[in-house]
Amino acid sequence: MLDMWRLLLLLIVIIGIGCRSRPFLMNGAMNVNGDMKMSGNMNTSMKTDNTASRLVSVMIPPGGFSACQQSGKVAIVDIDGILINKNISGLGSMGENPVALFREKLDALRVDPLVKAVVLRINSPGGGVTATDIMSRDLIRFREDTNVPVIACLMDVGAGGAYYLAAHSDTIIAHPTSIVGGIGVILNVYNMEDTLGQFNIASAPIKAGDQIDIASPERAMDQTERATLQRIADSFHARFIAHVKSVRSLSAEHEENFEGGILTGTDALQSGLVDTVGYLDDAIALARKRSNLAVDSPVVMFRRDNDRAYSQFDVTPNTPFSLLPIKMPGLDRSSLPTFLYLWQPDPSYLTTAGG
């Protein structure tokens, strides 16, 4: 009987450790009547890294390789949501860092000799200037190192930094109804001095260097400070334009697309921002053709073991979350300021991207 109670105590400790941040409570009396016998071996394993695993190749749809399919496969790399260089956490979210996840996927593709072509499935309005620049550099290096054809397929949105990334693929396919473009830069700055004053909140910073708090929401900017930020935005905008021009053949008549405007996928084709209009199935078919794969060659996605993948459209849940239903723009000072390559019609993007 003593051994039985020791075993129960051990199980309680193991469960309590596994729950970590969740308290393990037992109320009331616990009675065990009669004899309890246990035989065999009991193995307990626990993940200590937020249930995350290394990326693994998942067949879409689920299945195995046939003998005729061993020659190669197409990999879909999904790029969704705001592209920022920090973990995106929330209820039900995987809490991934989009920049880190993209590099991890490219690294997994590099070491898989059966991956003969890649489809970037992009559904994003863009993100941070530096984040998207890092991702684009990683994609350029991947193409140089592997010579694997890369097809970008723009879904609902491929704008801002997402288009910046797509531009470095071999071919860009957009849906007829995709929103494309957003070749511009934005920095969200707020002046909340009067609003704070209404609540008798006065800023009293201790600082050395007159412009060390430039773009602070606690006071208005002067013209010199505004000019400084405008020069930075202009330089990032020029970098974006230079990148697009280096990989896309655009006529002078279409340079109005460099002013941050957006187009439908059909209009983007006429303007030279994309190569063809089609669907994800067309992108996969083109990837197979470019890599001389059979028309029924397998399609895979790289996912963690707690991230489902039942079709080509499955998205990794990666959603920001706040305890407050509304965030006051400008008060997330720890995340500001951030220059963004971002098409931004939705105010919720302000706090999601830290802009």
Side-chain angles (χ1 to χ4, degrees):
M1 181 65 72
L2 182 60
D3 289 339
M4 180 188 70
W5 284 109
R6 285 176 177 172
L7 179 59
L8 287 175
L9 180 60
L10 176 62
L11 288 174
I12 291 172
V13 171
I14 291 173
I15 293 171
I17 293 173
C19 293
R20 287 179 298 175
S21 61
R22 301 181 203 141
F24 182 81
L25 302 175
M26 296 183 65
N27 297 317
M30 181 177 72
N31 297 318
V32 178
N33 297 317
D35 296 330
M36 182 175 72
K37 296 181 180 180
M38 298 182 66
S39 62
N41 298 321
M42 181 179 69
N43 297 320
T44 303
S45 63
M46 294 183 296
K47 293 181 179 180
T48 58
D49 56 347
N50 197 27
T51 74
S53 68
R54 300 290 295 184
L55 291 172
V56 295
S57 178
V58 180
M59 292 283 294
I60 306 296
F65 286 100
S66 65
C68 64
Q69 293 173 333
Q70 290 288 350
S71 59
K73 57 190 177 182
V74 175
I76 295 178
V77 175
D78 47 330
I79 301 167
D80 300 287
I82 304 295
L83 307 178
I84 50 176
N85 190 18
K86 66 179 182 180
N87 289 59
I88 301 177
S89 60
L91 291 177
S93 172
M94 294 287 286
E96 296 277 11
N97 178 324
V99 178
L101 181 60
F102 185 64
R103 175 169 287 190
E104 188 176 349
K105 288 181 178 181
L106 293 184
D107 288 343
L109 296 177
R110 276 190 174 91
V111 298
D112 190 335
L114 288 178
V115 172
K116 303 299 183 182
V118 175
V119 173
L120 297 182
R121 197 207 67 207
I122 297 175
N123 191 11
S124 168
V129 166
T130 301
T132 53
D133 192 60
I134 292 171
M135 295 173 73
S136 295
R137 178 174 174 269
D138 284 349
L139 180 60
I140 292 170
R141 286 191 167 185
F142 172 80
R143 291 179 60 202
E144 292 174 347
D145 294 344
T146 65
N147 292 318
V148 169
V150 176
I151 311 299
C153 181
L154 308 183
M155 306 297 286
D156 295 81
V157 184
Y163 180 77
Y164 187 99
L165 177 61
H168 292 288
S169 60
D170 294 288
T171 301
I172 303 177
I173 294 178
H175 286 67
T177 54
S178 296
I179 297 298
V180 183
I183 302 175
V185 181
I186 187 167
L187 170 69
N188 295 293
V189 178
Y190 302 90
N191 178 7
M192 304 187 68
E193 184 176 10
D194 292 341
T195 301
L196 294 173
Q198 292 175 11
F199 293 92
N200 294 320
I201 301 173
S203 174
I206 309 298
K207 63 179 184 178
D210 288 341
Q211 295 188 21
I212 196 63
D213 59 345
I214 187 172
S216 169
E218 298 171 353
R219 64 176 181 83
M221 284 190 294
D222 61 34
Q223 291 302 314
T224 300
E225 293 171 332
R226 179 172 290 276
T228 297
L229 295 177
Q230 186 64 57
R231 282 196 302 272
I232 295 173
D234 289 342
S235 68
F236 290 158
H237 190 201
R239 181 179 178 82
F240 196 159
I241 294 171
H243 270 255
V244 174
K245 284 186 172 181
S246 69
V247 292
R248 308 291 306 177
S249 298
L250 300 177
S251 61
E253 64 180 303
H254 291 138
E255 290 198 358
E256 71 272 9
N257 295 318
F258 295 147
E259 296 305 315
I262 54 172
L263 303 168
T264 66
T266 302
D267 290 339
L269 175 62
Q270 300 299 320
S271 297
L273 292 181
V274 304
D275 297 294
T276 186
V277 171
Y279 295 84
L280 182 58
D281 293 339
D282 299 316
I284 294 171
L286 180 59
R288 285 171 170 152
K289 182 178 179 180
R290 292 279 178 86
S291 54
N292 297 315
L293 292 175
V295 294
D296 62 343
S297 56
V299 177
V300 300
M301 299 177 78
F302 283 82
R303 291 297 180 91
R304 307 202 190 281
D305 61 4
N306 57 344
D307 187 3
R308 71 177 192 179
Y310 299 122
S311 82
Q312 295 93 327
F313 298 99
D314 274 317
V315 176
T316 298
N318 216 30
T319 306
F321 172 74
S322 172
L323 293 176
L324 297 177
I326 299 176
K327 283 190 175 183
M328 186 68 73
L331 289 185
D332 289 339
R333 186 57 184 164
S334 61
S335 300
L336 295 173
T338 302
F339 285 91
L340 304 168
Y341 289 145
L342 180 73
W343 176 54
Q344 189 177 275
D346 186 344
S348 65
Y349 289 152
L350 307 187
T351 52
T352 300

